[in-house]
Amino acid sequence: MMACLLEAPLRISVLSEVTATSRHYVDRLFDPDPQNVLQGVIDMKNAVIGNNRQKANLIVLGAVPRLLYLLQQSSSSLELRTECAVVLGSLAMGTENNIKSLVDCHIIPALLQGLLCSDLIFIEACLRCLRTVFISPVTPVQLLYTDPTVIPHLMSLLSRSQHTQEYITQIFAHCCKTPEHQTVLFNHGAIQNIAPLLISPSFKVRMQALKCFSVLAYENAQVSMTLVNVLVDGEQLSQVFVRMMQRDKPIEMQLTAAKCLTYMCRAGAIRTDDNCIVLKTLPCLVRMCSKERLLEERVEGAETLAYLMEPDIELQRIASVTDHLVSMLADYFKYPSSVSAITDIKRLDHDLKHAHELRQAAFKLYASLGSNDEDIRKKITETENMMDRIVSGLSESSIKVRLAAVRCLHSLSRSVQQLRTSFHDHAVWKPLMKLLQNAPDEVLVMASSTLCNLLLEFSPSKEPILESGVIELLCSLTQSDSPALRVNGIWALMNMAFQADQKVKVEIVRALGTEQLFRLLSDPDTNVLMKTLGLLRNLLSTRPHIDQVMSSHGKQIMQAVTLILEGEHSIEVKEQTLCILANIADGNTAKELIMTNDDMLQKIKYYMGHSNVKLQLAATFCISNLIWNEEDGEELRTRGSCGGSQERQDKLRDMGFVDILHKLTQASDPNLCDRAKTAMQQYLA
C-alpha cells in the first residue's frame, strides 16, 4: 500500500497569521507613488508564480478589485496595466475557487475592454488571462457572447500575432458549446479567419485552430458543407485534415483531425464510402483504441469511432475486421493504463479513478458495431465474458456506464439468435428489470426498448419477464410525458399480447384500463398511435378473444375506430385501423357490431374504392370476413338481425358491395384482385 502525501487544506483559523505576511503586497497597491505601485505589482507577480497558497491569500485580501481598477485606469502607465494583467493571469492559474473569485469581480468585461487598446503586448496579456479564465469549467461561456461586438473584435485581432492566434482560437474552441454559438462564430467569418492558421508555423496555433473546426462542425450541416469547399494554400481542407492524421503527427493532432472528418461525414458533407473516411479516418480511430495509448485517447478514439459508424453498416463491417478491434476493446475492461504509460504513480491513480470511462466507451463502440450485422453481434457476444461484463455494467454506480451498457445490450437484442442463446443463458432480463425501477429517462428509453425485444414471441425470456409483474411497469410508462417512453411502453405491451393466451390479454386490458387505452388512441405522437393500434390488433386476434374483448369494450373500440377513420391520419394509421376492423369482422358475435352499424359499412365501402391499394386491400379483408360462409354455430342464426352469413350477404349485396368486389376482381394489383375473387366465391358458395 503506497501512502500519498496530501496537502492539508488551508484552515480559516490559521488564516490571520498566513495572510499577515501577504498583506504588505496588497498595501503597496495603494501607494501614492506610481513607481512604487508598479514595483509592488512586479514583486507580487514573482511571489505568486507556482504558489497556490499565496494566490489564495492575495485573493482573500482583496487584491483582485484593486488590480482590476489599476488595469482600467487611463492614468495608469501601459507597463503597469500590462503587469496587472499578467498577475491576474497568474492568479487565474490557481484553483477553481480562484477563477470563481475573479469572475465574481467582473474580470471578463474588464479584460475584454482592455482588448480595445492598441498596444500588442498589453492585448496579449489580457488575452492570455481571458484564455485561462474561459477554459475553466466554472466559467459560464455565455459571458463571451453577452456583448455582440466582442466576437468580431476578436476575429480582427487574429492577424496581430501568433500569441493572439493561439489564445483566441483556444477561447473559441472552449466557448463553442451550442448550435447558437456555432452560428454566431460562423456568421462572423470564423471559417475564413481560422482556416489559414492550420498551416501556421506554430504547433500550438495549428492545434487550437483544428480544435475550433471540430467544435464548429459537430452536428452542423451548414459549417460542414462550407468546410468541404475551403482551400488552404490551394489544398482542400479535408486533405489538410488527412495529412494531420499521419502516424508521425502528435496523437492529439491525429485524434482531433479524425474528429473533424467524422463530424463532416456525419453532417452529410463527406460520403461514408469516401477514401478519406474508409482508408484514413476509420483506421486512425481504430489505432487510438490500442492499449498503447493513454486512457483519455482510448476513450475519445472509441467514442468518436462509435459515432462515425453508427448509421452505416459498411463502416461497421470494415471496423469489425480492422486490427482485431473487437478483441482490442475487451482490454478496456482490464487495463486502465498501458504499462508503457505508467511513468508515475499519479498517472496510475488518475487512470484507476477514470477506468469507468473506458468501460463506457467500450460499451458505446460495441453498441455501434453490432447495431446491424448478425456476424458482428456473434463476434461480440463470443468475446471473453462479454455478456457478464454487460450485466455488471447495468448495475454500475456511474449513470453513464449504465446507459452505455444498456445501449450495448439493446444493440445485441436485435438479434433473434442472441435472444435465444446468450440473453437466455445469462438471464439478462433480471438486471434489466431492476434498471427499469427508478432510472432517469434516457436510461429508461434504452432499457424499455431492449425489453420490447426480449418480449418478442420467440424470446425465451418472455415467460419469466411476464411472471415478474412487468405489465404494471409498462402501463406506467405509457403515461409518461416523454413520447419515446410512451412508445416503448405500448410497444412492449403489443409484443407481449402477440399470440398470448387469454389470461395475459385480460391482465393487459385490466392494468392499462380502457380510459388510458383510448387516451393513447388519440395520442398526438403517430408512433404511439401506431403501436396502440398494434396492441389492439394483437388483443383481437383469435375468435374467442375477439368476442370477449368486444363484448366488454365493443362500443368504445368502434367509436375509436370511427374517429381514426374520419380523422386526418396517415395511410399507415388507417391501414392498421382497417386491419383491426377486419379482425372484429372475424369474430362470431363481434361482427354484429359492424353489421348493425351502417355508418361503418359505408366507411368500409369508401376505403374499398380508395386510391391507395393498401387501404383497398384492408377494407376488402373486412368485407371478406363479414361474408365468410362457414356457418357460425346454431345459436347465432336464431338471433335474427344479421346473424347468419346468408342475411349478412344479402344486406351487403343490397348496399352495393358485390358490385365493388366485382370491379376489384379486375384490379391491377394481384393481391387485391385475388382477395376480391376469394370474397366473390363466398357469394357463389
Side-chain angles (χ1 to χ4, degrees):
M1 180 72 188
M2 295 192 171
C4 291
L5 284 174
L6 288 174
E7 245 179 63
L10 184 64
R11 292 199 185 76
I12 300 302
S13 55
V14 296
L15 199 61
S16 49
E17 62 219 55
V18 176
T19 49
T21 55
S22 311
R23 187 172 296 285
H24 71 98
Y25 287 116
V26 181
D27 292 342
R28 288 167 70 189
L29 299 181
F30 293 90
D31 193 295
D33 180 353
Q35 212 38 51
N36 289 348
V37 175
L38 175 62
Q39 196 49 52
V41 174
I42 292 170
D43 290 347
M44 186 185 278
K45 173 178 74 175
N46 295 330
V48 296
I49 289 174
N51 186 336
N52 273 353
R53 184 162 290 189
Q54 186 68 278
K55 289 174 188 177
N57 293 344
L58 291 171
I59 289 173
V60 168
L61 291 168
V64 177
R66 183 65 184 167
L67 288 166
L68 284 172
Y69 172 79
L70 295 169
L71 178 123
Q72 292 175 91
Q73 276 306 92
S74 50
S75 57
S76 299
S77 69
L78 204 52
E79 191 183 358
L80 174 60
R81 293 170 74 191
T82 305
E83 290 294 351
C84 285
V86 172
V87 174
L88 288 164
S90 192
L91 294 176
M93 289 286 206
T95 62
E96 287 186 354
N97 278 339
N98 294 8
I99 300 251
K100 276 188 185 141
S101 307
L102 293 172
V103 173
D104 291 343
C105 291
H106 306 292
I107 189 172
I108 292 176
L111 291 169
L112 289 172
Q113 193 61 34
L115 298 179
L116 297 171
C117 171
S118 57
D119 182 80
L120 182 59
I121 294 174
F122 177 60
I123 288 176
E124 287 180 352
C126 288
L127 281 172
R128 192 179 310 118
C129 183
L130 276 168
R131 179 272 315 264
T132 308
V133 171
F134 271 121
I135 64 175
S136 163
V138 299
T139 306
V141 293
Q142 208 42 48
L143 293 171
L144 184 66
Y145 303 93
T146 320
D147 176 348
T149 62
V150 167
I151 302 290
H153 185 61
L154 288 171
M155 292 289 175
S156 70
L157 293 175
L158 276 172
S159 55
R160 294 290 299 269
S161 72
Q162 277 186 14
H163 286 309
T164 65
Q165 291 168 353
E166 180 195 335
Y167 304 144
I168 291 170
T169 46
Q170 195 172 358
I171 290 169
F172 287 162
H174 268 274
C175 295
C176 181
K177 301 280 190 207
T178 67
E180 293 72 39
H181 297 162
Q182 290 174 326
T183 305
V184 170
L185 291 168
F186 177 83
N187 289 344
H188 284 107
I191 294 179
Q192 307 82 293
N193 284 303
I194 298 171
L197 308 184
L198 289 169
I199 51 172
S200 159
S202 152
F203 172 75
K204 284 181 173 172
V205 172
R206 291 199 301 278
M207 201 52 237
Q208 294 305 334
L210 190 56
K211 285 185 173 170
C212 273
F213 283 125
S214 87
V215 293
L216 282 168
Y218 180 65
E219 298 203 335
N220 192 312
Q222 185 188 33
V223 170
S224 297
M225 293 294 186
T226 308
L227 289 179
V228 178
N229 300 312
V230 169
L231 293 177
V232 181
D233 205 20
E235 188 180 22
Q236 275 195 317
L237 192 61
S238 55
Q239 285 314 302
V240 177
F241 293 151
V242 167
R243 262 214 330 274
M244 290 175 148
M245 287 191 295
Q246 288 167 352
R247 287 165 188 261
D248 58 343
K249 298 286 187 286
I251 294 297
E252 184 187 20
M253 181 173 269
Q254 289 184 46
L255 195 44
T256 314
K259 281 166 79 170
C260 290
L261 288 163
T262 293
Y263 298 159
M264 288 164 72
C265 177
R266 281 299 305 266
I270 300 176
R271 289 169 53 112
T272 51
D273 58 1
D274 190 299
N275 281 348
C276 77
I277 297 296
V278 178
L279 303 180
K280 303 291 183 184
T281 309
L282 186 142
C284 170
L285 290 169
V286 173
R287 285 202 304 275
M288 297 301 146
C289 298
S290 108
K291 63 170 187 263
E292 304 312 309
R293 303 266 57 88
L294 291 175
L295 177 135
E296 43 274 43
E297 293 160 0
R298 292 166 79 194
V299 169
E300 215 170 327
E303 293 195 337
T304 308
L305 181 55
Y307 181 67
L308 172 65
M309 63 188 181
E310 196 174 24
D312 192 272
I313 188 166
E314 265 321 298
L315 289 179
Q316 290 157 14
R317 285 179 177 148
I318 295 165
S320 72
V321 293
T322 305
D323 289 356
H324 308 290
L325 177 65
V326 175
S327 52
M328 186 157 39
L329 283 178
D331 291 339
Y332 275 48
F333 297 92
K334 298 183 219 162
Y335 314 106
S337 337
S338 69
V339 180
S340 58
I342 308 176
T343 46
D344 56 18
I345 201 73
K346 236 176 168 169
R347 180 83 222 175
L348 180 64
D349 184 50
H350 166 275
D351 284 6
L352 289 171
K353 279 199 188 93
H354 291 82
H356 65 276
E357 291 175 24
L358 274 177
R359 294 193 292 278
Q360 175 198 339
F363 284 140
K364 273 189 188 168
L365 187 41
Y366 277 137
S368 191
L369 271 170
S371 55
N372 292 294
D373 187 288
E374 198 53 47
D375 294 336
I376 301 176
R377 290 185 192 125
K378 192 165 183 288
K379 213 169 174 180
I380 292 171
T381 49
E382 286 170 359
T383 305
E384 45 183 327
N385 311 336
M386 196 56 218
M387 291 308 284
D388 295 330
R389 289 194 174 124
I390 297 174
V391 167
S392 55
L394 293 175
S395 54
E396 276 208 36
S397 57
S398 155
I399 177 81
K400 287 183 171 170
V401 177
R402 291 205 299 276
L403 180 58
V406 78
R407 268 177 69 176
C408 182
L409 196 60
H410 177 247
S411 193
L412 298 172
S413 76
R414 293 156 100 169
S415 150
V416 176
Q417 192 194 0
Q418 296 311 325
L419 284 174
R420 283 187 171 144
T421 53
S422 44
F423 274 61
H424 188 50
D425 301 341
H426 293 265
V428 167
W429 65 271
K430 285 184 185 164
L432 191 65
M433 289 289 292
K434 200 168 156 218
L435 192 61
L436 279 162
Q437 295 315 317
N438 48 7
D441 274 9
E442 50 180 347
V443 174
L444 268 182
V445 170
M446 269 298 149
S448 53
S449 290
T450 311
L451 194 61
C452 287
N453 293 344
L454 290 178
L455 287 167
L456 289 164
E457 80 278 11
F458 49 74
S459 159
S461 310
K462 182 174 182 176
E463 282 312 307
I465 294 175
L466 275 177
E467 286 156 23
S468 73
V470 71
I471 295 179
E472 297 287 344
L473 177 83
L474 296 174
C475 291
S476 68
L477 287 184
T478 68
Q479 298 179 6
S480 165
D481 290 336
S482 147
L485 285 177
R486 292 203 301 280
V487 168
N488 287 351
I490 201 75
W491 193 339
L493 289 168
M494 177 186 97
N495 286 351
M496 194 186 286
F498 183 76
Q499 293 180 354
D501 55 31
Q502 187 61 358
K503 187 169 105 312
V504 173
K505 291 183 179 178
V506 169
E507 179 53 27
I508 291 174
V509 176
R510 188 204 59 74
L512 191 60
T514 43
E515 219 175 291
Q516 177 61 3
L517 181 63
F518 295 111
R519 197 176 297 129
L520 292 166
L521 284 172
S522 54
D523 198 281
D525 188 287
T526 307
N527 288 330
V528 175
L529 177 54
M530 279 297 281
K531 296 292 176 265
T532 310
L533 291 169
L535 168 64
L536 205 48
R537 194 172 162 183
N538 287 348
L539 290 172
L540 298 166
S541 61
T542 65
R543 283 205 184 125
H545 297 178
I546 294 168
D547 290 333
Q548 187 176 355
V549 174
M550 292 308 286
S551 69
S552 49
H553 305 293
K555 193 170 164 233
Q556 290 146 299
I557 290 176
M558 292 300 283
Q559 223 174 340
V561 167
T562 305
L563 283 173
I564 292 171
L565 291 178
E566 286 176 354
E568 293 286 318
H569 289 290
S570 65
I571 297 293
E572 288 71 30
V573 167
K574 295 201 167 177
E575 179 192 19
Q576 186 80 296
T577 308
L578 287 167
C579 288
I580 289 172
L581 209 50
N583 281 11
I584 296 169
D586 195 34
N588 287 331
T589 53
K591 53 165 54 90
E592 280 293 293
L593 287 158
I594 302 176
M595 286 307 301
T596 54
N597 184 336
D598 286 1
D599 177 48
M600 189 59 83
L601 290 170
Q602 290 297 344
K603 285 190 171 50
I604 296 174
K605 195 163 150 186
Y606 165 76
Y607 283 109
M608 283 173 80
H610 199 277
S611 57
N612 185 290
V613 75
K614 284 180 174 174
L615 297 184
Q616 286 182 290
L617 202 55
T620 309
F621 258 112
C622 295
I623 287 303
S624 208
N625 284 347
L626 288 175
I627 60 181
W628 199 250
N629 201 356
E630 53 173 316
E631 277 305 341
D632 326 280
E634 290 300 316
E635 79 282 1
L636 275 183
R637 286 173 50 212
T638 57
R639 277 186 47 193
S641 83
C642 303
S645 60
Q646 191 55 55
E647 290 99 90
R648 288 200 305 278
Q649 289 184 4
D650 293 344
K651 174 167 182 178
L652 293 170
R653 177 185 280 116
D654 295 344
M655 286 185 74
F657 278 99
V658 176
D659 300 339
I660 298 176
L661 283 172
H662 191 71
K663 223 190 297 176
L664 291 179
T665 56
Q666 313 295 312
S668 56
D669 182 86
N671 290 336
L672 184 56
C673 178
D674 288 352
R675 174 52 48 198
K677 282 177 183 164
T678 312
M680 284 296 284
Q681 277 158 9
Q682 287 302 308
Y683 269 101
L684 305 171

